[in-house]
Amino acid sequence: MAQPLSGSYGASARRRTNWKKQAFAYALLLPSLVFLTLFTYYPTLKTIWYSFQSSGFGVKAFVGFDQYIRVFENDVFWKVLKNNLFLLIMTVPGSILLAMYVAIWVNERMKGNGFLRTAFFYPTVIPMIAIANIWLFIYTPDYGLLDKFLEIIGVSGPNWLGDSSVVMWAMVIMVIWKEVGFFMVFYLAGLQNLPTEIYEAAKLDGIPPFRLFVRITFPLLMPTTLFCMIIATTNSFKLVDHLYIMTKGGPNNASNLLLYHIYENAFSFWDTGAAAVLTVVLLIILLSISIFNYAYLDKRIHY
């Protein structure tokens, strides 16, 4: 009879220990949960509620999905969404592949390696407002740095920020230039943690460098690539500072993006209902991308 009593007492003691550990863990998480609730979850739910309310300030009335229908019937919304998707498609692969190439290059032991790493990383620490002013000088017609360079080779450049056919390409180049150094740091960390034995065996087998990259380096860097892809995708929907300085979304909304369109509706047009609807759309897009990355891509990556 003593053995079952001892086993029962041991199980009870383990349950008390587990309860104390869980209580301590929740106590540590409590401050973060409070801040998340106050500054993330509550504003998100409030925005969703506002998206079903009539526009403007003061007295509001429940209008259901009328706000959504009004926003979706607006041609500007679809143009802005198309611009954002274009920026996403062009900047995410471009910045990630270029960052990976630069990281492999500066990871080699050579003279001036530290200077090269600093030079590539430096744009990351510059605020986006300053970046916008720098590239505004570069893109200025006739007097800008880019047009002055084109004059040397006898080519006349377009109005980079005033031509609707090239303004988004100008934005893409600027974003890639800023983000490459940031992602390079993560790829450098990933490269320096790869097992050297695999590369030594590959060199003994005489595997060409490109095949070595495709078969070994790139698959082993996929966890880093997934992380960088999530950050780059999020950044492509968060960009707004440069538009205020460079184009104000023009010409004719050719460079307007979803986040800046939300700002315009909320604080320029005072259409809070449309701004809430656009915010919900942005949240759904980012949530869908995150679910796809973590639920689908993450399971197909070798860690």
Side-chain angles (χ1 to χ4, degrees):
M1 294 297 292
Q3 186 66 31
L5 184 60
S6 176
S8 175
Y9 177 78
S12 177
R14 284 193 297 270
R15 282 197 297 270
R16 284 198 301 270
T17 303
N18 291 335
W19 181 86
K20 289 180 180 179
K21 289 182 178 179
Q22 291 179 5
F24 181 68
Y26 279 111
L28 292 176
L29 291 172
L30 184 60
S32 298
L33 291 174
V34 170
F35 279 100
L36 281 173
T37 302
L38 290 177
F39 300 108
T40 301
Y41 301 136
Y42 174 73
T44 300
L45 295 175
K46 200 73 172 179
T47 300
I48 295 172
W49 173 247
Y50 280 153
S51 69
F52 295 104
Q53 304 291 310
S54 59
S55 299
F57 294 96
V59 179
K60 292 181 177 295
F62 183 81
V63 294
F65 287 96
D66 290 349
Q67 294 278 19
Y68 287 84
I69 295 172
R70 182 167 64 90
V71 169
F72 293 156
E73 288 178 346
N74 190 347
D75 293 336
V76 176
F77 165 74
W78 295 107
K79 190 172 186 177
V80 168
L81 189 60
K82 180 181 176 182
N83 291 341
N84 231 137
L85 291 176
F86 176 81
L87 189 74
L88 167 69
I89 293 170
M90 299 307 299
T91 58
V92 173
S95 58
I96 287 176
L97 291 175
L98 191 56
M100 190 184 302
Y101 172 79
V102 171
I104 293 173
W105 179 37
V106 300
N107 191 47
E108 300 293 331
R109 292 183 179 179
M110 55 184 178
K111 291 183 178 180
N113 207 3
F115 172 77
L116 287 174
R117 294 181 183 183
T118 304
F120 283 116
F121 181 73
Y122 183 68
T124 303
V125 301
I126 304 176
M128 196 61 189
I129 295 294
I131 294 288
N133 279 287
I134 293 171
W135 283 88
L136 186 62
F137 163 70
I138 293 173
Y139 288 139
T140 300
D142 299 328
Y143 302 102
L145 190 63
L146 184 56
D147 274 15
K148 288 297 182 182
F149 173 77
L150 292 176
E151 281 182 11
I152 298 174
I153 60 177
V155 178
S156 178
N159 186 350
W160 302 100
L161 301 179
D163 189 340
S164 58
S165 61
V166 298
V167 64
M168 280 304 299
W169 286 104
M171 296 294 122
V172 166
I173 293 171
M174 182 191 69
V175 172
I176 291 177
W177 177 81
K178 177 165 175 62
E179 290 189 339
V180 163
F182 179 67
F183 297 134
M184 177 201 71
V185 174
F186 295 105
Y187 278 115
L188 270 175
L191 287 168
Q192 291 170 4
N193 287 323
L194 295 183
T196 57
E197 299 84 3
I198 298 177
Y199 290 93
E200 292 172 357
K203 288 179 180 178
L204 291 175
D205 292 338
I207 298 178
F210 181 75
R211 189 178 178 188
L212 181 68
F213 169 77
V214 173
R215 296 290 186 179
I216 297 177
T217 304
F218 185 74
L220 291 177
L221 286 176
M222 281 306 294
T224 305
T225 302
L226 176 63
F227 172 79
C228 292
M229 186 168 62
I230 293 172
I231 300 299
T233 302
T234 305
N235 287 345
S236 68
F237 284 96
K238 283 167 45 180
L239 292 173
V240 65
D241 306 14
H242 68 292
L243 292 181
Y244 190 82
I245 298 295
M246 301 177 73
T247 65
K248 297 289 194 299
N252 193 25
N253 291 300
S255 64
N256 205 352
L257 300 175
L258 190 54
L259 190 58
Y260 189 76
H261 191 45
I262 294 172
Y263 166 80
E264 283 185 317
N265 278 275
F267 301 107
S268 296
F269 311 144
W270 300 107
D271 191 349
T272 56
V277 172
L278 292 168
T279 304
V280 172
V281 171
L282 179 60
L283 289 173
I284 291 173
I285 292 173
L286 293 177
L287 184 62
S288 301
I289 293 172
S290 299
I291 291 174
F292 173 77
N293 286 332
Y294 285 113
Y296 180 77
L297 293 181
D298 189 55
K299 295 180 179 178
R300 286 158 176 77
I301 288 177
H302 171 74
Y303 285 93

